[in-house]
Amino acid sequence: MKYVTLGTSGTVVSAHTLGTMTFGAEADEATSHAILDAFVAAGGNFVDTADVYSRGGSETIIGHWLSAHPTEAKDIVIATKGRFPMGEGVNDLGLSRRHLGRALDASLARLGVEQIDLYQMHAWDAYTPIEETLGFLAEAVAAGKIAYYGFSNYLGWQLTKAVHVARAHGWPAPVTLQPQYNLLVRGIEHEVVPAALDAGVSLLPWSPLAGGWLSGKYRRDVDPTGATRLGENPKRGMEAWDARNADDRTWAVIDAVRRVADDRGTSMSQVALAWLGAQPAVTSVILGARNLEQLADNLGAVDLELSPAELAALSEASAPRVEDYPYGPGGVAQRGRSLSNGR
């Protein structure tokens, strides 16, 4: 396992994070604990969850594992999130001081810890002033309830605003941002990645395999079946079958991944993960697994380093579609200039 620092902090985490959205849903407690065992045995020390995962079930399962493994628990860096509904009341969601105070205490209790290493705002809240949210987080850091904080699913301007508001008040700054990012979903490269690089914020990408699409398990125009996410629910959110299957770009990207995997004698999942881990600002890639076999395959990416030619081929095949302005060649040309002639 490779290790990196968490953003601008001094905390060291594994370059692959164990995502636990499956815990309590697609993986029961025994399977979830086996996955945790295998991840730690491979050298992983960074575990990501959220209060909304299985309505608190994921945090509870992790808490039981931590309690049963006190020696290993001392080395685990725990990240969780708050923001989405955990009750039926009108204030049982959001980034208000009221909701976050209750959500944080509930997460601490379910995890059975005194401090959460990384507390992440799960999404932007248009109704709560950013000063209220950041003020709460600063107080939580001062109280020792959290060590660091970060965001998830924020746009570039939202991240930049939060960073500068925190600096203006002398509050701790965010250290991470958790966005969706993979070879099929690269739109964050236009605004989010530059904002993160500018702020010194680390990216922790979720859905690195695009909901299983990049693993090579699906075939064009063949409806998915069986115990896969799309086999069980072909209309599943942003990963839905019909739209991606009908898009030529989807299959061009998958074919490019397959070619590199075949040349390397490795799995397509490992190639997709290795490409993502090599991208600017990416610190730790979140691995989601519903069983030990999936985790073992994903961990194979730890030692896979793609060549510049392989990275370029994958990047070219997956280039995001944009209009010429402001993100295409014309717009990009306007944002740069040559020092040799000043134009």
Side-chain angles (χ1 to χ4, degrees):
M1 184 65 71
K2 298 175 183 177
Y3 299 93
V4 293
T5 55
L6 189 62
T8 54
S9 81
T11 295
V12 176
V13 297
S14 48
H16 289 81
T17 305
L18 180 62
T20 62
M21 188 172 69
T22 60
F23 287 14
E26 297 164 279
D28 60 20
E29 182 153 344
T31 302
S32 300
H33 283 188
I35 290 172
L36 279 162
D37 289 340
F39 180 70
V40 172
N45 77 330
F46 196 12
V47 177
D48 177 77
T49 186
D51 59 0
V52 76
Y53 295 167
S54 299
R55 198 76 165 187
S58 177
E59 289 181 330
T60 299
I61 288 171
I62 294 169
H64 291 166
W65 186 90
L66 293 172
S67 177
H69 299 78
T71 300
E72 295 88 342
K74 291 187 296 183
D75 293 325
I76 301 299
V77 178
I78 296 291
T80 192
K81 313 178 197 73
R83 192 277 194 196
F84 289 123
M86 289 297 288
E88 302 304 320
V90 295
N91 285 308
D92 289 338
L93 76 166
L95 300 183
S96 68
R97 180 184 298 274
R98 183 184 191 279
H99 175 65
L100 287 179
R102 289 162 171 76
L104 176 55
D105 285 345
S107 289
L108 287 165
R110 284 189 291 266
L111 290 164
V113 297
E114 294 181 355
Q115 183 184 72
I116 288 168
D117 299 300
L118 176 65
Y119 194 48
Q120 301 160 102
M121 306 301 94
H122 212 153
W124 179 260
D125 179 359
Y127 290 103
T128 302
I130 190 66
E131 291 83 0
E132 180 176 341
T133 301
L134 296 178
F136 168 82
L137 293 169
E139 292 169 6
V141 171
K145 288 187 174 183
I146 64 175
Y148 310 103
Y149 74 90
F151 305 120
S152 181
N153 305 312
Y154 273 39
L155 299 175
W157 73 264
Q158 294 166 347
L159 172 62
T160 298
K161 180 175 182 177
V163 167
H164 285 283
V165 169
R167 289 175 179 170
H169 285 271
W171 292 331
V175 298
T176 58
L177 175 66
Q178 191 175 131
Q180 180 179 196
Y181 192 19
N182 55 61
L183 277 163
L184 288 178
V185 181
R186 293 180 56 190
I188 70 165
E189 293 175 8
H190 302 311
E191 297 283 354
V192 175
V193 172
L197 289 169
D198 179 67
V201 168
S202 292
L203 297 183
L204 309 175
W206 61 267
S207 193
L209 299 179
W213 282 86
L214 295 170
S215 70
K217 67 175 66 174
Y218 303 123
R219 291 293 181 266
R220 190 167 196 169
D221 298 328
V222 178
D223 290 346
T225 59
T228 65
R229 289 184 175 180
L230 290 182
E232 295 166 351
N233 180 12
K235 298 186 182 299
R236 181 187 175 99
M238 291 174 282
E239 305 158 1
W241 169 258
D242 288 340
R244 278 189 173 167
N245 177 56
D247 189 344
D248 290 338
R249 176 177 175 271
T250 298
W251 301 105
V253 173
I254 290 173
D255 287 345
V257 175
R258 182 176 287 110
R259 285 193 293 271
V260 174
D262 289 346
D263 288 345
R264 283 297 194 98
T266 189
S267 75
M268 292 176 61
S269 296
Q270 292 171 12
V271 169
L273 292 169
W275 176 88
L276 185 56
Q279 300 312 300
V282 171
T283 287
S284 188
V285 176
I286 299 175
L287 308 177
R290 64 166 70 185
N291 54 53
L292 287 170
E293 291 73 23
Q294 288 181 349
L295 177 65
D297 182 50
N298 290 347
L299 287 174
V302 169
D303 296 320
L304 179 60
E305 185 172 340
L306 300 178
S307 70
E310 290 168 330
L311 289 169
L314 292 167
S315 295
E316 181 179 354
S318 63
R321 289 174 297 228
V322 295
E323 300 293 337
D324 187 51
Y325 185 85
Y327 300 124
V332 172
Q334 290 181 349
R335 294 194 292 274
R337 65 188 180 93
S338 170
L339 293 180
S340 61
N341 59 19
R343 299 182 185 278

